[in-house]
Amino acid sequence: MTGQAPDPGDRAVEQLATSPVRAEVVVLIEHLSKSFDGRLVLDDVHLKVGRSKIVSIIGQSGGGKTTLLRCVNLLERPDHGLLTVAGETIFSGDRLVCHDLARLRQTVGMVFQRFNLFPHLTAVENVMLAQRRAGVPEQVALERSVQLLRRVGLAHRGVAYPEQLSGGEQQRVAIARALALKPAVLLFDEPTSSLDPESTGEVLRVMRELAEDGMTMILVTHELPFARDVSDWVVFIDGGRIVEEGEPADVLVRPSQLRTKAFLASYAASH
């Protein structure tokens, strides 16, 4: 007996999420450097992120954290080094290897500090947009978007516009949007820095649930207790270099480097 034919929309999204998701090392960075106007912002950075791992990047403002994150999906182009994402070489030496940036950004979802929602679209339309551009049929995209809004606790806010949503709700819509094409890795750039404490708690709850579901994530965060609780690996970057990295208890509780100790002491004094 012949089974029901697969939905073409599901095929469209599954094709975006096949072999890359199975790569054991989702992000590999070696000898990465980046300068702005002659100022070295990233200096010989090495980082490996395994599948279903959560890596938190911590450090002072201006230390290179966000630049490193933005290099992973080529929002910033490195000057030199090796970058592979989901088993595919993206950048090598001083040469851009990946020229299909749209496909790369389907593999690498990003949640920005300032939400970046389209103000003229409702919450569900914001989540649908990337799927429609990827060729997912409208009804399939709509159903998946509703499911994703339900996942982040916003099923009842689908027809609201961004201006009608709180900061925490907007950020959760942004997370749903980033999940829509089933990325191999999610990048978070200080996702709670502009939120009040209650909204911060809402967003961190969703991120914690994603971690429990096995989503590969790289976080730039100032929420050190959250980084300690959910991360598999913590990276302290300062002056464009990785000063110390390791398991959360080692870096955040028993750091070995004086610079890390000074940073944590400063954080404790301000909290």
Side-chain angles (χ1 to χ4, degrees):
M1 182 174 179
T2 304
Q4 184 177 1
D7 187 288
D10 283 339
R11 281 202 306 269
V13 173
E14 291 302 330
Q15 286 169 0
L16 298 171
T18 51
S19 60
V21 181
R22 292 197 287 269
E24 288 304 315
V25 176
V26 177
V27 176
L28 175 65
I29 297 169
E30 295 182 348
H31 300 293
L32 198 75
S33 64
K34 173 67 179 177
S35 296
F36 291 109
D37 299 323
R39 182 174 68 90
L40 193 61
V41 177
L42 296 176
D43 183 10
D44 196 33
V45 172
H46 296 250
L47 183 64
K48 182 186 295 186
V49 180
R51 183 160 58 92
S52 299
K53 300 299 182 182
I54 296 94
V55 174
S56 289
I57 304 174
I58 63 171
Q60 287 187 321
S61 297
K65 306 184 304 296
T66 293
T67 300
L68 177 59
L69 200 71
R70 290 170 65 89
C71 282
V72 174
N73 68 352
L74 295 181
L75 287 174
E76 299 290 352
R77 176 172 171 164
D79 295 331
H80 183 80
L82 175 70
L83 170 63
T84 72
V85 177
E88 180 178 351
T89 299
I90 304 302
F91 191 90
S92 181
D94 59 359
R95 186 169 61 91
L96 182 65
V97 178
C98 172
H99 297 285
D100 189 348
L101 296 184
R103 186 167 63 86
L104 171 65
R105 288 166 189 161
Q106 291 164 2
T107 303
V108 183
M110 187 158 185
V111 179
F112 297 90
Q113 187 175 10
R114 295 288 179 180
F115 324 136
N116 287 8
L117 300 179
F118 289 99
H120 64 289
L121 299 178
T122 64
V124 73
E125 289 169 343
N126 266 282
V127 180
M128 288 178 64
L129 186 60
Q131 298 175 70
R132 296 291 291 129
R133 289 179 174 174
V136 178
E138 182 175 5
Q139 186 60 33
V140 176
L142 174 60
E143 292 173 0
R144 183 170 294 124
S145 298
V146 170
Q147 291 171 358
L148 287 168
L149 288 175
R150 183 177 299 113
R151 182 176 183 182
V152 299
L154 292 175
H156 62 298
R157 302 292 274 155
V159 297
Y161 289 90
E163 67 177 9
Q164 299 170 316
L165 301 172
S166 70
E169 288 173 332
Q170 290 184 60
Q171 192 62 291
R172 284 185 282 158
V173 172
I175 292 172
R177 179 183 60 186
L179 290 168
L181 291 176
K182 302 182 180 179
V185 57
L186 270 185
L187 311 179
F188 291 85
D189 183 15
E190 296 279 14
T192 62
S193 65
S194 60
L195 302 180
D196 59 66
E198 183 177 2
S199 296
T200 293
E202 295 170 357
V203 172
L204 293 184
R205 175 187 58 77
V206 171
M207 293 172 66
R208 196 181 302 273
E209 290 172 357
L210 291 175
E212 291 170 354
D213 290 344
M215 171 61 70
T216 304
M217 297 189 288
I218 307 176
L219 324 173
V220 167
T221 183
H222 65 282
E223 297 284 347
L224 298 193
F226 178 72
R228 181 192 62 218
D229 290 345
V230 306
S231 300
D232 298 291
W233 201 252
V234 173
V235 176
F236 172 56
I237 189 169
D238 187 65
R241 297 185 67 92
I242 293 179
V243 174
E244 186 165 358
E245 60 180 306
E247 295 182 356
D250 293 329
V251 175
L252 298 176
V253 181
R254 299 182 296 272
S256 62
Q257 301 299 312
L258 290 177
R259 183 67 193 91
T260 315
K261 294 177 182 178
F263 169 76
L264 294 175
S266 175
Y267 176 87
S270 64
H271 289 76

